Amino acid sequence: MRTLAGVDLAALAQREGTPLYVYSTPAILARARALQSALAGLDAGICYAVKANGNRALLALLAGEGIGADIVSGGELRRALAAGIPADRIVFSGVGKSAGEIDAALQAGIARFNLESRPELDLLQARARALGVCAHASVRINPDVDARTHAKISTGRAENKFGVSIAEAHAWFDAGATWPDVHLDGLHMHIGSQLLDLAPVREALARMAGAWRDLAAAGHRLSCIDVGGGLGVRYREGEHAPAAVDYVAAIREALAGFDGRLLVEPGRWLVAEAGVLLSRVLLVKEGASRRFLVLDAAMNDLLRPSLYDAWHDIVPLVDSGRERLAYDVVGPVCETGDTFAIDRSLPRCEAGDLVAILGAGAYGASMASNYNSRPLPAEVMVDGGRYALVRRRQDFDAMIAGECFATDWTTA
Ligand SMILES: *Cc1c(COP(=O)(O)O)cnc(C)c1O
C-alpha cells in the first residue's frame, strides 16, 4: 500500500505529520451506495451510527447521500445537525438519555426515540408534555440472541443492559394511553457489533417479526421497524464483510408484508475499511525476549486493540521484499495494554519508516483521548489524488483549554 484514493501516503504523512487518520471518500461512498441500492424498492432509510466516526465532514458526505443519523448523546445530535443531516432523519438511541438531551432532541424535531426502559418512557412523556410536542418512539427490544461477537460489543442477550423483553414491550403498547404525548409506534433492536455471520441477525429478525405480528394481532399498528446496526467488516485475512444485498435479503425475508418504514443503523460497516491510521516508527527496541516496534501512535489514538484485543492489519510502507521479522507493535503510552499487535510478522522496519494501520475508519478517532497528555490526532479525507484536512491536529493550548488553577473557591 502506497496510496489511498490516489494520494501518496508518505507525502501526506510528511505534510500533515503523524499519527494521522486518513479516510477514503470513494470507499465510504461505495458502501453507502451499495446499501442504498440493496434497499431499493423498500420504504427504508439508513441512519448512520454517529458514534462510529462523528467527524462532521464525514457526516456531511453521508448526508449528501440522503443518509440520516443514529445518535446516542446531545453532542452527537449537535454534530449531526451541524453536518446538515435533517432532524427528521435522526433517531436517538441509548440506555441513559438525560432530560436536557431529550429536550434538545424534541426541540430539534428528530424523527424518533429508541426507548430502552420504562423510566425513560416516563421521562420522554414528561418532557414532551412540558414542551407541548408529541414524541415518536420505538421500543428497543432485547431479542436475547447470541451475536457471536466479542463480549464487550455484544448487546442482544437478556443479561445485557440494552432494551427490554418482548413481553415488556408488548405491555407498553397495551398501556399506550399512559403516555398520551408519546406516539409509541415502532420496534427497534441492535444485537451487537462486528457481526460477520448473518445467522444471529436472521435469528434476531425472526424474533422481531414475531413481536411485530403479535402486536398486530393485538391491534397495535407499527409504523416503523428499526433493525439496528452491527454489520461486521474485514479486519484480517479470511474475514469478509457481509454483502449489503445478503443483509437486506435477510431483512426482506423476515419482515415481508410489513407496510411501515424500515430503518437500518450501520456504523462500522460504512466507514471502518475506508480509514487507515498512519503512524511513524519511533524506534525499534530489541528487548530481552521480544522485538518491539515503537510507533508514534498509541492506544489513545486507536483504542480497539487495547479495549477489545482487536486485530488490525498493519502495513509498513516499505519495500515488501525486505526480510520479515516478528514484532510486538506498541505505542509510547505508559501501559502494557498499549499494544497494537503481538508477535506480528512484518517486513523489517527502521526508525522513521511509516506504517498504515488498516480498518481504522470506525471506532478510531471517535474513541481517541488525551491520555498521557497526547494531543488528538489530525484527520484527513482523500479523493481522486487530493486530500482535505477535516480535523487539525490538536495543539497543547487546545488540549488544556478547559482547565484552570484552583483560585476561585466557593461553596456549593
Ligand atoms: C453502536 C450502535 C449501532 C452501530 O453499530 P455498528 O456495529 O457500528 O454498526 C447501531 N445502533 C445502535 C443502537 C448502536 O448502539
Side-chain angles (χ1 to χ4, degrees), residues 69-384:
D70 170 42
I71 59 164
V72 291
S73 70
E76 288 191 352
L77 172 66
R78 294 185 62 173
R79 274 182 185 281
L81 293 171
I85 296 178
D88 64 3
R89 291 199 183 138
I90 297 177
V91 299
F92 195 170
S93 303
V95 290
K97 307 171 186 77
S98 71
E101 289 174 320
I102 289 174
D103 284 3
L106 285 171
Q107 275 155 347
I110 67 161
R112 64 178 51 242
F113 293 79
N114 292 328
L115 299 175
E116 306 223 11
S117 67
R118 172 73 196 262
E120 187 176 57
L121 174 51
D122 293 337
L123 179 62
L124 181 61
Q125 162 59 30
R127 298 317 307 158
R129 169 57 59 98
L131 295 177
V133 295
C134 176
H136 284 262
S138 299
V139 187
R140 176 167 176 174
I141 57 167
N142 185 322
D144 195 21
V145 298
D146 182 353
R148 280 162 251 164
T149 183
H150 190 287
K152 285 188 183 163
I153 51 174
S154 188
T155 54
R157 295 308 299 270
E159 66 265 29
N160 297 138
K161 71 179 175 181
F162 300 98
V164 302
S165 69
I166 289 173
E168 181 169 350
H170 203 124
W172 292 9
F173 280 92
D174 288 342
T178 316
W179 303 282
D181 301 288
V182 177
H183 210 77
L184 196 61
D185 61 352
L187 289 178
H188 172 242
M189 69 173 183
H190 174 68
I191 62 168
S193 199
Q194 184 52 11
L195 312 176
L196 291 170
D197 176 4
L198 289 177
V201 175
R202 287 198 185 90
E203 209 175 309
L205 282 168
R207 295 195 187 178
M208 170 70 96
W212 151 52
R213 293 202 172 90
D214 286 350
L215 284 167
H220 302 298
R221 196 192 162 271
L222 293 184
S223 49
C224 181
I225 292 182
D226 181 335
V227 300
L231 275 191
V233 300
R234 177 203 189 280
Y235 282 115
R236 62 189 298 178
E237 205 163 335
E239 289 179 340
H240 294 283
V245 281
D246 296 334
Y247 176 57
V248 175
I251 297 171
R252 285 180 192 271
E253 188 184 327
L255 299 177
F258 178 65
D259 62 355
R261 185 154 175 83
L262 291 170
L263 295 178
V264 292
E265 299 172 342
R268 188 188 310 274
W269 188 86
L270 284 172
V271 298
E273 291 179 66
V276 305
L277 175 59
L278 272 187
S279 177
R280 210 173 274 284
V281 176
L282 292 175
L283 55 94
V284 178
K285 173 174 173 175
E286 299 288 347
S289 62
R290 315 189 65 86
R291 180 181 301 113
F292 297 100
L293 191 65
V294 185
L295 304 182
D296 68 357
M299 64 188 284
N300 74 293
D301 303 299
L302 177 65
L303 185 60
R304 299 189 66 259
S306 308
L307 187 60
Y308 311 123
D309 294 320
W311 176 287
H312 283 264
D313 279 343
I314 298 174
V315 181
L317 307 188
V318 301
D319 179 0
S320 57
R322 287 190 193 174
E323 64 174 320
R324 295 185 81 85
L325 296 172
Y327 293 96
D328 283 4
V329 184
V330 302
V333 160
C334 302
E335 297 273 350
T336 300
D338 183 23
T339 299
F340 291 115
I342 293 174
D343 208 22
R344 187 73 64 91
S345 167
L346 300 174
R348 181 174 44 77
C349 290
E350 294 163 5
D353 285 342
L354 287 167
V355 304
I357 303 178
L358 307 190
Y363 305 104
S366 64
M367 291 179 115
S369 78
N370 285 130
Y371 188 42
N372 276 216
S373 284
R374 292 167 49 85
L376 295 178
E379 297 169 66
V380 301
M381 292 183 55
V382 289
D383 190 7

